[in-house]
Amino acid sequence: MSRRWWLALLPVLALVCCVTGLAVGALAFSPLRERVMALLGLRPQILAAEMVPDDAIFYASLSYNLQAQPGYETIRRAYLENPEVQRVLEEWKDQLRKEAEIDFDADIAPWIGPEIGLALFPASPEELGAGRLPLVLLVASRDHGKADAFLERLRQLAEKEGGRVEDRAYRGRSYQLWISEGPQNPPLAIGRLGEFVVVAVTEEAFQRVADRAAGQGQSITTSPRFRKVIQALPAQSVMMVYLDYPALQKLSQEALPRLQPGAPDPESLLGPWASMAQAIQGAGFAVELQAQGLRLQSIAVIDRARVPQDLRASLDAPPISEALLGRIPENTLGFFQTARIGQSLRQSLEIIRRNPEARRQLQDMEATMGIRLEEDLLAWMTGDLILAALPVPAGAPSGIPVGVSLWIGTDQPEAARAGLARLEDALAMMGVQVEESTRVGQAVRIITAPTGERILAYTVDPEAMQMVFPADAFEGYYKPARAITGNPRFQEIRKQLPAQISSLFFLDTFALWDLIEEQIPGAEGATFREKARPFLDPIQGIGIAGEATTGAEIQRGVLFIRIVPSGS
């Protein structure tokens, strides 16, 4: 190319660079950036939230932009291409055509957009008592003409069923008011406001959304409480839920006496914990599609200054002992672990004893049994608690599908033995017998019912107290050669949970589905295998964990469902 051509192109290139720079700058420093990022699946879908007033009590958003999610391919192979799932979807569409005379593929699919929003507004006790729940559904439209045609189709169907439909207008926006018979069936307001089809349970709620569409008032996206919750959740999610907890608490306190006269006040049921609930400023959760499965993160925003000083320690969750996981057999069906159980129980006991009647009942129980709860039992519980469900080993009594093992960590084994001996004395008064035995080189105590049936076996070693049901399963459950930490499904799920966790729940569903099917007899078992297993089999593990924190404003929990498509 000659030099003359380059000189001629230079002004054009300079103009392109300037326009591109301005566009990038505008994208980076304007609300348009958030809109584009949301459409790409890199931000939560909160476009519908811009139509929601800032005093909304509840808001949820569902994104249809699944292709932007890292786990879309996993979901597609596990479910969207699953013949049984496709069959169920087709049956649902057929039912919709027959009962509602709506063809999803022809009437809805051509216009429905990438986002659905659901919002709940404040309401008076009188409105709630009359069934006027200010609930609003917002469905994004990508073809306004077809969306309007669908609304007209709904109108025809409503009139065909004998309903009355009135045309209304507000702020220059037309909508329909569907009026049903009976005071318990408030009118529905339906119309399209800009990019969204809006369905409101009350006309006032529809008009509040119309106000926002006209630029009146502030949206929920400007609420500091909403923004704090959203910013604490993962940016890339397919579903997001926000809850204004103080507003919900106020609504329930005002409405409950009217809806259920004589019902106890929620705060009286919570007792000392009511102040903890009042410190919750907001809550929410988000759902992500990961390459390995589905992850849900939930958070609560706590105003620690509103928590009484003597209760603040309960907000600080220490991490669990990873070492104690080595005591859980690899083939465990599921287990729950929580950190420092003795400390947690003592805190709960202190709170309970603030109630005079509860304190008296505890004192009577201790006197009757001859046990001091704190000195004889809680004092030696210095470690974690683990409760596990396991397959019953060979030789155990027939008819018991699942065994149970309990571990309580301790660094005071002698104190544990002494405290449990006092508990044995209390059980002896009820006819329960205890005998000494030796299993796998370990001194074991066998708890026997008055009928002579051996129920439990327990032992105390330098690391923990372990109790087993049934008693004959002790050998298979005590210090296994292969621990749960070597289970590949557990390993994959543990990677998706917080690094430091205060509580942990794990379910090995890969083995659980077979066990459930074995317990269902005859035709019911065949139905379970044919109808349920296609949906359940891709789910090969579930993990739930609370994050270990100290002094944090945000309390976080994570649920992860491991999904493995068939043939992977």
Side-chain angles (χ1 to χ4, degrees), residues 414-429:
E414 292 303 323
R417 293 187 183 98
L420 291 169
R422 294 188 182 92
L423 183 59
E424 289 180 6
D425 293 338
L427 293 174
M429 292 187 294

Side-chain angles (χ1 to χ4, degrees), residues 238-551:
V238 295
M239 183 178 181
M240 180 274 297
V241 171
Y242 160 77
L243 183 65
D244 185 336
Y245 192 82
L248 179 66
Q249 194 176 43
K250 179 176 180 292
L251 180 65
S252 64
Q253 290 172 344
E254 294 175 349
L256 189 61
R258 184 181 183 90
L259 298 177
Q260 295 184 4
D265 179 65
E267 289 194 9
S268 65
L269 296 177
L270 291 173
W273 293 102
S275 57
M276 186 79 77
Q278 292 170 357
I280 302 175
Q281 297 302 292
F285 70 81
V287 179
E288 309 166 85
L289 298 184
Q290 300 289 324
Q292 297 80 18
L294 182 147
R295 182 167 61 185
L296 183 152
Q297 294 196 44
S298 64
I299 64 108
V301 181
I302 308 292
D303 183 356
R304 297 178 70 96
R306 300 186 61 181
V307 179
Q309 187 70 34
D310 56 345
L311 291 181
R312 290 181 189 174
S314 62
L315 293 175
D316 298 329
I320 64 171
S321 168
E322 300 279 350
L324 204 56
L325 290 173
R327 301 286 296 263
I328 306 175
E330 184 183 35
N331 64 341
T332 295
L333 298 171
F335 71 89
F336 171 75
Q337 179 178 5
T338 185
R340 299 183 190 175
I341 184 62
Q343 175 182 317
S344 300
L345 291 177
R346 278 195 298 272
Q347 291 173 349
S348 300
L349 202 59
E350 290 172 4
I351 293 172
I352 292 173
R353 281 176 170 159
R354 295 177 187 175
N355 183 305
E357 179 60 23
R359 182 172 62 250
R360 185 189 63 78
Q361 292 179 0
L362 282 173
Q363 290 172 344
D364 291 346
M365 183 195 70
E366 289 181 326
T368 301
M369 298 183 65
I371 291 178
R372 299 166 300 172
L373 290 176
E374 291 188 68
E375 293 83 351
D376 296 337
L377 297 178
L378 303 188
W380 57 264
M381 298 181 183
T382 55
D384 297 0
L385 175 144
I386 297 179
L387 182 65
L390 304 105
V392 176
S398 60
I400 301 177
V402 176
V404 177
S405 185
L406 169 72
W407 294 264
I408 297 179
T410 183
D411 56 6
Q412 301 175 26
E414 292 303 323
R417 293 187 183 98
L420 291 169
R422 294 188 182 92
L423 183 59
E424 289 180 6
D425 293 338
L427 293 174
M429 292 187 294
M430 295 182 285
V432 176
Q433 299 179 356
V434 181
E435 59 185 61
E436 181 80 27
S437 180
T438 301
R439 305 284 179 87
V440 291
Q442 184 71 20
V444 178
R445 307 286 288 177
I446 308 295
I447 310 297
T448 305
T451 60
E453 179 185 5
R454 294 191 297 182
I455 304 173
L456 301 172
Y458 82 87
T459 189
V460 178
D461 60 40
E463 293 179 324
M465 184 281 294
Q466 181 174 355
M467 186 175 291
V468 167
F469 169 84
D472 292 335
F474 183 87
E475 290 88 339
Y477 295 169
Y478 183 74
K479 290 190 176 181
R482 299 168 64 91
I484 190 67
T485 50
N487 183 316
R489 293 175 292 280
F490 174 77
Q491 292 172 346
E492 287 297 325
I493 285 178
R494 183 63 185 90
K495 294 175 185 177
Q496 300 295 331
L497 302 176
Q500 293 289 314
I501 55 180
S502 60
S503 59
L504 173 62
F505 173 79
F506 169 72
L507 195 62
D508 190 347
T509 54
F510 181 77
L512 185 62
W513 307 142
D514 289 335
L515 178 65
I516 292 175
E517 185 175 328
E518 291 172 1
Q519 305 304 311
I520 304 176
E524 294 181 354
T527 301
F528 176 81
R529 181 169 55 255
E530 295 171 5
K531 303 296 184 181
R533 291 295 293 262
F535 295 89
L536 297 176
D537 283 346
I539 300 175
Q540 297 194 4
I542 298 174
I544 305 175
E547 186 174 30
T549 58
T550 301

Side-chain angles (χ1 to χ4, degrees), residues 97-109:
R97 278 191 291 267
K98 293 176 182 177
E99 297 183 3
E101 298 183 41
I102 294 175
D103 188 322
F104 180 86
D105 293 326
D107 297 332
I108 300 177

Side-chain angles (χ1 to χ4, degrees), residues 174-214:
S174 60
Y175 62 95
Q176 304 168 6
L177 191 67
W178 295 11
I179 302 175
S180 304
E181 296 182 0
Q184 295 302 317
N185 297 316
L188 289 179
I190 302 177
R192 183 173 59 81
L193 297 174
E195 299 179 8
F196 289 88
V197 170
V198 179
V199 181
V201 177
T202 67
E203 187 174 15
E204 294 83 357
F206 184 93
Q207 292 176 354
R208 294 203 65 195
V209 176
D211 287 338
R212 277 297 311 135

Side-chain angles (χ1 to χ4, degrees), residues 52-117:
V52 175
D54 60 355
D55 63 347
I57 297 175
F58 168 88
Y59 176 74
S61 175
L62 177 65
S63 170
Y64 279 102
N65 193 15
L66 301 182
Q67 291 87 342
Q69 293 288 315
Y72 170 73
E73 187 66 17
T74 298
I75 297 298
R76 182 185 66 80
R77 292 173 53 205
Y79 290 107
L80 300 183
E81 294 182 351
N82 187 315
E84 187 63 22
V85 174
Q86 293 174 348
R87 182 190 62 79
V88 171
L89 289 176
E90 289 302 319
E91 288 179 354
W92 173 78
K93 291 179 183 179
D94 289 341
Q95 185 178 8
L96 188 65
R97 278 191 291 267
K98 293 176 182 177
E99 297 183 3
E101 298 183 41
I102 294 175
D103 188 322
F104 180 86
D105 293 326
D107 297 332
I108 300 177
W111 64 266
I112 192 169
E115 180 184 6
I116 292 179

